[in-house]
């Protein structure tokens, strides 16, 4: 394949600001630029056959081309889309947004021709040669005069104007006269050393207005996240700027932003991939853009759930997963300001088969509907080590339900075909935490002992399908205080009254409570567990009050209920913890919940386990 270098394209770009062309250039060299914690940037020296220019910068979304060695020295590529940015000192940078590699470095092998470095203002760059085809006579082939080994050139006949805009109505992006025009620069090029700039960006997230009050006074703020083809940035407005901009900025709309203050970003409070963040000032201008449909939406850098255990506490990550399960929203009181706020835990699973608990707050918690097991994409969730690994959605986080992105479609396809049959291994339960241990962590009784669950500082929780093989009915019931909030054992005063030491009162009656010791077994192992009131009633199938009445009046019927409960199978949710009593340490297993076995769901899980083991 014969490639046609676009001779004169560098002159057209640098002197005329042309951005509508699609030049074919050769990569001479690539140099990485360190950018702190942000993705690396690559600076390219490129040639159009006549001139070379080292002011080409690769957009971060194209980094993979360099890392996979597709884009390397001597290769030839077509630049399909680029942006020209003028820095404060007058230098221009060309940011490459989209390109295709037409010929690899191995196929080309050498630098084409003898191009000279582009020098601003020199006469040799003032003339753009006419397009030259392979059929043109030799005398008209400037590439042969430059020793380009027969490589022909094609330069588009017409170049479009650079992207500029002026003022509309009373809102101005420049001075009030409306005569001046401002060139739009990419977000990736913004630095604190620039004073006059304008970006065109989509708002992907907008926080609620937050207030503060301390010894230095009171105030309010809100923040937004902006994205264009080159990158993203966070912007914050304070006090008067809140009143000015909060009502006119909407999520997913595109605006022109100009004259904000830039400073080093605080990564502790933002997951936005940018070394800088923006603050609105009195000079800041925001103007709607009607021609921004091509701008991207939220940019994600997803972390797999099975990789969360290696992430440090309090780090901010992007996550995507199917909402496998969720809890009801509850109201809690924040101690710092005594304010009531809604909280809801949801449980996300991805294609790794792992699950993690994520906490939604406020409006996100109240409005969430997980009944259809949606795909959840969360940008900027904070990693916690409470209960293994869990996530908290912050006010600065972006939550999107069923996003229209390739990762979401792939995840939905996997879940509908095979993932829904999996229970998933929760990384939020393995270390304990909470009163019920959160979501399902399926184990066999043998695996519980093999993995030494319960031996750590915190309790562990697991779920297991097991069968009741023996119930110890002796001392399974006791007479308790009849008040609603007290279950303390009462003392029979032998005078028709029963005394509760905790309440320091005597009552003419009592209520029965149960503490039932049960031996359960599966196909590998057995385990003694303790069942309290609700779980004991679920196993026996009768209320404690009725059992107490039978015990007093019909001992045979009482024993039959215990006998009938043998060899019945249940789903047990169990808490295990190493406890010491009389200098003797042993694992105590307490049943937190008992449910009937859903054999359809249970069979799906067994089949999925068989398939997974068969591939090992």
């Amino acid at each position: 394949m014969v490639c046609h270098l676009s001779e004169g394209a560098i002159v057209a770009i640098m002197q005329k600001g042309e951005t509508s062309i699609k030049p074919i250039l050769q990569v001479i060299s690539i140099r990485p630029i360190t950018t702190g914690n942000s993705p690396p940037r690559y600076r390219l020296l490129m040639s159009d056959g006549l001139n070379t220019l080292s002011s080409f910068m690769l957009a971060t979304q194209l980094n993979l081309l360099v890392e996979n060695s597709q884009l390397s020295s001597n290769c030839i590529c077509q630049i399909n889309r680029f942006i020209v940015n003028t820095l404060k000192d007058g230098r221009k940078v060309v940011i490459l947004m989209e390109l295709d590699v037409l010929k690899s470095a191995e196929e080309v092998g050498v630098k084409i021709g003898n191009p000279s470095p582009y020098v601003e203002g020199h006469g040799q760059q003032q003339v753009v040669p006419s397009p030259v085809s392979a059929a043109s006579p030799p005398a008209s082939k400037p590439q042969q005069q430059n020793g380009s080994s027969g490589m022909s050139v094609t330069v588009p006949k017409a170049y479009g104007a650079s992207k500029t805009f002026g003022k509309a109505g009373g809102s101005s992006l420049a001075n009030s006269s409306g005569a001046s025009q401002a060139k739009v620069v990419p977000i990736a090029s913004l630095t604190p050393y620039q004073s006059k700039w304008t970006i065109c960006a989509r708002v992907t997230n907008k926080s609620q207005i937050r207030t503060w009050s301390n010894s230095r006074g009171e105030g309010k703020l809100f923040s937004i996240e902006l994205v264009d083809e080159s990158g993203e940035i966070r912007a914050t407005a304070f006090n008067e700027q809140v009143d000015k901009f909060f009502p006119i900025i909407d999520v997913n709309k595109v605006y022109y932003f100009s004259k904000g203050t830039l400073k080093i970003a605080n990564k502790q409070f933002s997951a936005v991939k940018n070394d800088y963040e923006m603050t609105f000032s009195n000079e800041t201008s925001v103007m709607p853009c009607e021609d921004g449909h091509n701008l991207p939406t939220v940019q994600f850098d997803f972390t797999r759930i099975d990789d969360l255990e290696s992430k440090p506490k309090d780090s901010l990550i992007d996550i995507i997963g199917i909402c496998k399960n969720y809890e009801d929203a509850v109201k809690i009181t924040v101690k710092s300001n005594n304010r009531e706020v809604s909280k809801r835990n949801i449980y996300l699973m991805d294609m790794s088969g792992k699950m993690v608990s994520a906490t939604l707050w406020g409006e996100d918690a109240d409005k969430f509907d997980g009944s259809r097991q949606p795909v959840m994409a969360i940008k900027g969730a904070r990693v916690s080590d409470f209960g293994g690994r869990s996530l908290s959605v912050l006010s600065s986080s972006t939550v999107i339900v069923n996003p229209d992105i390739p990762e979401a479609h792939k995840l939905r396809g996997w879940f509908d075909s095979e993932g829904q049959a999996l229970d998933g291994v929760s990384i939020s339960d393995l270390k304990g935490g909470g009163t019920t241990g959160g979501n399902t962590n399926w184990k066999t009784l043998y695996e519980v002992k093999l993995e030494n669950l319960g031996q750590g500082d915190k309790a562990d929780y697991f779920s297991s399908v097991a069968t009741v093989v023996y119930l110890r009915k002796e001392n399974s019931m006791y007479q308790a205080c009849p008040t609603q909030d007290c279950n303390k054992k009462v003392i029979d005063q032998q005078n028709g009254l029963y005394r509760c030491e905790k309440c320091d009162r005597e009552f003419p009656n009592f209520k029965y409570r149960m503490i039932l010791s049960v031996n359960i077994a599966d196909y590998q192992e057995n385990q003694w567990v303790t069942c309290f009131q609700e779980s004991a009633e679920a196993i026996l199938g009768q209320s404690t009050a009725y059992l107490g009445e039978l015990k007093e009046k019909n001992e045979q019927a009482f024993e039959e209920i215990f006998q009938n409960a043998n060899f019945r199978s249940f789903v047990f949710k169990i808490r295990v913890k190493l406890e010491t009593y009389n200098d003797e340490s042993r694992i105590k297993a307490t049943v937190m919940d008992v449910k009937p076995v859903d054999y359809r769901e249970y069979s799906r899980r067994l089949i999925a386990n068989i398939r997974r083991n068969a591939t090992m």
Side-chain angles (χ1 to χ4, degrees):
M1 182 181 74
V2 177
C3 294
H4 305 267
L5 292 185
S6 302
E7 293 187 358
I10 288 178
V11 172
I13 293 171
M14 299 303 288
Q15 292 193 3
K16 299 184 179 181
E18 308 291 1
T19 58
S20 62
I21 61 176
K22 295 184 178 181
I24 297 176
L25 306 176
Q26 183 181 28
V27 177
I28 305 302
S29 65
I30 302 175
R31 183 166 63 91
I33 300 174
T34 56
T35 58
N37 295 327
S38 297
R41 302 300 302 270
Y42 293 99
R43 185 173 180 178
L44 282 66
L45 175 64
M46 305 191 78
S47 164
D48 65 0
L50 288 179
N51 297 112
T52 60
L53 181 69
S54 63
S55 298
F56 291 95
M57 189 79 72
L58 198 66
T60 54
Q61 64 263 31
L62 300 182
N63 283 358
L64 200 61
L65 294 176
V66 176
E67 294 161 3
N68 291 342
S69 299
Q70 292 177 261
L71 193 67
S72 56
S73 298
N74 295 328
C75 76
I76 296 176
C77 55
Q78 180 170 16
I79 313 303
N80 297 321
R81 191 158 60 94
F82 61 92
I83 299 172
V84 180
N85 178 37
T86 303
L87 302 182
K88 189 176 181 179
D89 59 5
R91 290 182 297 120
K92 293 182 178 179
V93 175
V94 183
I95 299 181
L96 308 180
M97 307 304 299
E98 295 178 8
L99 62 84
D100 292 320
V101 177
L102 303 181
K103 211 165 188 180
S104 68
E106 290 77 12
E107 293 177 284
V108 180
V110 297
K111 180 172 70 173
I112 297 174
N114 296 301
S116 59
Y118 170 80
V119 180
E120 184 72 35
H122 277 209
Q124 66 190 45
Q125 283 92 16
Q126 293 177 358
V127 178
V128 180
S130 301
V132 181
S133 68
S136 300
S140 64
K141 291 184 181 178
Q143 73 274 11
Q144 291 184 359
Q145 297 172 15
N146 287 278
S148 58
S149 305
M151 299 291 285
S152 62
V153 298
T154 59
V155 179
K157 294 181 179 179
Y159 297 106
S162 60
K163 185 176 183 181
T164 59
F165 60 93
K167 267 176 251 327
S171 299
S172 109
L173 296 171
N175 57 48
S176 58
S177 67
S180 65
Q181 292 182 326
K183 182 179 289 293
V184 174
V185 301
I187 288 176
S189 69
L190 294 179
T191 71
Y193 310 106
Q194 297 167 272
S195 58
K196 295 181 180 180
W197 49 260
T198 298
I199 60 172
C200 181
R202 185 184 302 276
V203 178
T204 58
N205 188 29
K206 176 184 176 183
S207 74
Q208 295 299 313
I209 296 176
R210 302 194 297 276
T211 60
W212 77 86
S213 177
N214 53 35
S215 58
R216 292 180 294 178
E218 299 179 347
K220 56 186 175 181
L221 65 89
F222 83 97
S223 60
I224 58 176
E225 292 175 11
L226 308 174
V227 63
D228 68 4
E229 299 99 326
S230 70
E232 56 186 346
I233 193 168
R234 185 174 187 237
T236 303
F238 294 90
N239 301 325
E240 295 85 358
Q241 310 310 321
V242 173
D243 299 329
K244 181 178 179 182
F245 294 116
F246 188 85
I248 66 172
I249 295 178
D250 295 320
V251 174
N252 211 35
K253 296 288 184 65
V254 179
Y255 300 88
Y256 293 112
F257 297 86
S258 61
K259 295 185 179 179
T261 303
L262 293 161
K263 64 177 183 178
I264 299 295
N266 187 342
K267 298 295 185 179
Q268 182 180 355
F269 301 108
S270 174
V272 173
K273 304 297 187 295
N274 198 316
D275 289 337
Y276 305 109
E277 60 187 15
M278 184 192 308
T279 302
F280 289 169
S281 66
N282 292 330
E283 295 183 348
T284 299
S285 174
V286 178
M287 177 179 171
C289 172
E290 304 300 332
D291 186 27
H293 306 295
N294 62 322
L295 290 181
T297 55
V298 183
Q299 294 185 337
F300 291 102
D301 182 16
F302 291 121
T303 298
R304 284 167 54 99
I305 293 177
D306 59 351
D307 291 333
L308 286 179
E309 291 178 292
S310 63
K311 295 293 182 181
K313 179 179 178 292
D314 294 330
S315 59
L316 298 179
I317 58 94
D318 301 344
I319 197 83
I320 187 169
I322 290 282
C323 179
K324 180 74 171 176
N325 201 356
Y326 63 99
E327 298 176 1
D328 293 334
V330 296
K331 297 287 187 181
I332 65 170
T333 301
V334 181
K335 293 181 179 179
S336 59
N337 55 18
N338 204 33
R339 183 171 57 91
E340 193 177 69
V341 65
S342 297
K343 171 187 174 184
R344 185 197 297 264
N345 289 331
I346 64 175
Y347 301 95
L348 304 178
M349 182 170 74
D350 65 8
M351 294 174 65
S352 69
K354 296 291 183 72
M355 284 195 301
V356 65
S357 167
T359 303
L360 303 177
W361 300 91
E363 191 174 299
D364 288 335
D366 288 329
K367 293 185 177 181
F368 177 76
D369 179 11
S371 59
R372 295 176 180 249
Q373 295 185 305
V375 176
M376 302 290 295
I378 305 174
K379 181 179 181 63
R382 174 162 288 167
V383 177
S384 168
D385 61 359
F386 178 76
R389 275 291 184 269
S390 58
L391 301 173
S392 183
V393 178
L394 310 177
S395 59
S396 60
S397 303
T398 302
V399 180
I400 302 179
V401 180
N402 292 324
D404 187 13
I405 57 176
E407 295 91 340
H409 301 315
K410 183 178 180 181
L411 184 59
R412 170 55 67 187
W414 167 81
F415 184 78
D416 291 344
S417 62
E418 58 180 291
Q420 61 183 341
L422 301 177
D423 294 298
V425 178
S426 175
I427 65 172
S428 301
D429 296 342
L430 301 181
K431 304 299 182 182
T435 58
T436 62
N439 205 28
T440 309
N441 175 32
W442 291 100
K443 299 287 181 184
T444 66
L445 299 179
Y446 176 76
E447 288 173 332
V448 172
K449 295 183 178 180
L450 184 67
E451 297 175 15
N452 294 318
L453 294 189
Q455 302 280 359
D457 295 333
K458 297 180 180 179
D460 287 330
Y461 297 83
F462 70 93
S463 292
S464 184
V465 176
T467 302
V468 175
V469 295
Y470 182 75
L471 300 99
R472 187 178 292 156
K473 65 178 181 296
E474 294 79 19
N475 301 319
S476 61
M477 305 185 71
Y478 69 93
Q479 297 169 340
C481 177
T483 59
Q484 183 177 356
D485 298 326
C486 180
N487 296 320
K488 188 73 173 177
K489 185 176 181 179
V490 295
I491 302 171
D492 189 348
Q493 300 293 89
Q494 303 298 323
N495 60 358
L497 297 176
Y498 302 88
R499 177 173 176 78
C500 175
E501 293 291 341
K502 180 180 179 182
C503 298
D504 194 21
R505 291 176 57 190
E506 291 183 348
F507 302 92
N509 61 338
F510 60 85
K511 65 184 177 186
Y512 274 110
R513 298 286 298 178
M514 292 197 73
I515 303 179
L516 182 64
S517 293
V518 183
N519 190 269
I520 61 174
D522 59 14
Y523 64 96
Q524 284 182 305
E525 189 58 84
N526 72 320
Q527 174 71 52
W528 279 100
V529 297
T530 300
C531 302
F532 290 94
Q533 187 83 355
E534 290 77 10
S535 56
E537 290 177 339
I539 292 173
L540 294 171
Q542 300 291 344
S543 69
T544 307
Y546 177 70
L547 291 170
E549 185 179 346
L550 287 183
K551 184 178 181 182
E552 292 175 358
K553 299 178 180 179
N554 191 340
E555 185 70 25
Q556 183 179 352
F558 178 76
E559 291 187 3
E560 285 180 0
I561 289 176
F562 278 78
Q563 288 295 330
N564 292 338
N566 285 325
F567 306 110
R568 295 179 61 194
S569 297
F570 299 91
V571 175
F572 294 90
K573 181 173 284 187
I574 300 173
R575 176 187 188 270
V576 285
K577 180 73 174 69
L578 185 66
E579 295 187 356
T580 302
Y581 182 73
N582 288 338
D583 296 328
E584 181 182 351
S585 297
R586 63 176 183 176
I587 292 289
K588 182 178 180 180
T590 304
V591 175
M592 311 304 296
D593 190 23
V594 177
K595 291 182 179 178
V597 179
D598 181 344
Y599 285 99
R600 183 177 179 182
E601 179 68 26
Y602 182 43
S603 297
R604 279 202 299 261
R605 182 159 52 85
L606 291 177
I607 292 171
N609 289 340
I610 291 171
R611 288 174 177 167
R612 185 166 58 250
N613 291 334
T615 60
M616 292 182 178

